[in-house]
DNA sequence: AGCTAAGCGGACCGGGTGGTCAGGTTATGC
DNA sequence: GCATAACCTGACCACCCGGTCCGCTTAGCT
């Protein structure tokens, strides 16, 4: 790959990551190209399809979450981190809601489910809770708080608290204790 | 209003209600007109804008939920009913996710929040829970289960159970409180 | 320096959208 | 039955989208 192509590709990926984070996967290719300072045709030289570009961006986000699942100690910590990421990245919300059907993305979600499962195995949760449940419920918590994202950006923490009290089977802290 | 116009309007509203329920608010006006057996121009004779049509349909759905909140005894029953409605009506999901900005719809949501508040007042919930929280959390529960809507259509019941255990402060069957 | 292929840009294409309008049709009051 | 206004229609418009393509530029090897 030629040196200038590498530079161009980086500009493209940076712009796409930024715009997808702000506006979700519906951001137009033209807009991304403009932000990257390149032509629209160039976008399709690097990625055959818009979906492929989305998959490249979202794949990194999912990898980051998998890392978090493996490095963070507790299920609770992981969920706090995960919902936080959902809250500041709309593209992640799009994959969570199933509107991104790219195979790479689905594989990434599968890896995330498995990583979450490992956390569940180590945690004391209600009977029958799976890693997949945890991942889905994180998106639910975020979606609930999303309409007030601007007015109350920290609302999801409260909602995640409600859920965790119903989900975790902690012998220590009583479920309904404040914060 | 002329008699034939009344009939036409009904056909339009029926078709729109059906299609919005199945496919959400993104269903095209052309599609609605076709299903109703009328011309596209006729749609705009009855509703100045597509948003107005959506608001008319969604307004009825919200009224139904307000009725449910007033007629159902318990908060739990209401939430089961509400999430069930979300599960079988995509237009309702769209208003829940905030993608419908019509003032009539916002007013409807506000009425729903108030009705939910009355249920909360009568229920034993965790401190500080509001009717608005309840409405938002219903959408969250649904959104969490939505990606598996086809594979496991009843999944939301399980997730709603988790949430209710964290939300309700039932003196009788304390969920996990080993106190 | 010069050759060549890789890289780039933006006009262009087909398809789909919400919305408009001139002109034909029909219900309804008289 | 007739006049007329309300009503309906579908061709049409402007706009936006993802994706293509060809002519121009330029990096990099020799």
């Amino acid at each position: 790959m030629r040196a200038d192509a590498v530079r161009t590709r980086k500009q493209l990926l940076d712009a796409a990551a930024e715009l997808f984070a702000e506006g979700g996967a519906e951001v137009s290719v033209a807009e991304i190209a403009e932000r990257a300072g390149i032509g629209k045709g160039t976008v399709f030289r690097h990625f055959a399809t818009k979906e492929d570009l989305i998959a490249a961006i979202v794949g990194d986000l999912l990898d980051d979450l998998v890392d978090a699942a493996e490095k963070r100690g507790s299920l609770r910590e992981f969920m706090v981190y995960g919902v936080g990421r959902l809250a500041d990245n709309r593209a992640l919300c799009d994959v969570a809601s199933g509107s991104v059907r790219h195979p790479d993305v689905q594989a990434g979600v599968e890896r995330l489910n498995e990583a979450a499962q490992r956390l569940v195995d180590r945690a004391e949760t209600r009977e029958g809770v799976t890693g997949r449940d945890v991942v889905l419920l994180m998106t639910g918590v975020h979606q609930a708080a999303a309409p007030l994202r601007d007015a109350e950006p920290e609302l999801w923490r409260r909602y995640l608290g409600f859920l965790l009290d119903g989900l975790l089977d902690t012998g220590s802290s009583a479920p309904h204790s404040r914060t």
Side-chain angles (χ1 to χ4, degrees), chain A residues 98-162:
Chain A
S99 60
V100 182
R101 258 169 278 281
H102 196 285
D104 289 2
V105 171
Q106 288 178 344
V109 170
E110 193 48 44
R111 274 182 291 123
L112 182 59
N113 286 343
E114 287 159 12
Q117 182 63 55
R118 288 190 285 275
L119 281 178
V120 169
D121 290 341
R122 265 192 283 130
E124 302 251 334
T125 71
R126 183 198 275 254
E127 196 77 20
V129 175
T130 68
R132 194 197 63 186
D133 289 335
V134 167
V135 172
L136 290 174
L137 287 166
M138 285 194 304
T139 82
V141 166
H142 167 254
Q143 293 287 349
L148 295 172
R149 189 199 294 253
D150 296 328
E152 300 184 42
E154 301 294 318
L155 182 59
W156 62 265
R157 294 184 191 273
R158 237 179 98 232
Y159 290 170
L160 180 56
F162 296 166

Side-chain angles (χ1 to χ4, degrees), chain A residues 1 4-14 46-47:
Chain A
M1 194 149 111
D4 58 345
V6 174
R7 208 184 54 224
T8 300
R9 188 187 185 89
K10 183 176 182 330
Q11 290 169 2
L12 168 55
L13 285 172
D14 287 351
H46 288 268
F47 296 91

Side-chain angles (χ1 to χ4, degrees), chain A residues 76 161 165 170 172-179:
Chain A
R76 171 177 234 121
D165 283 351
T170 57
S172 55
S173 70
H176 299 147
S177 57
R178 229 283 295 162
T179 317

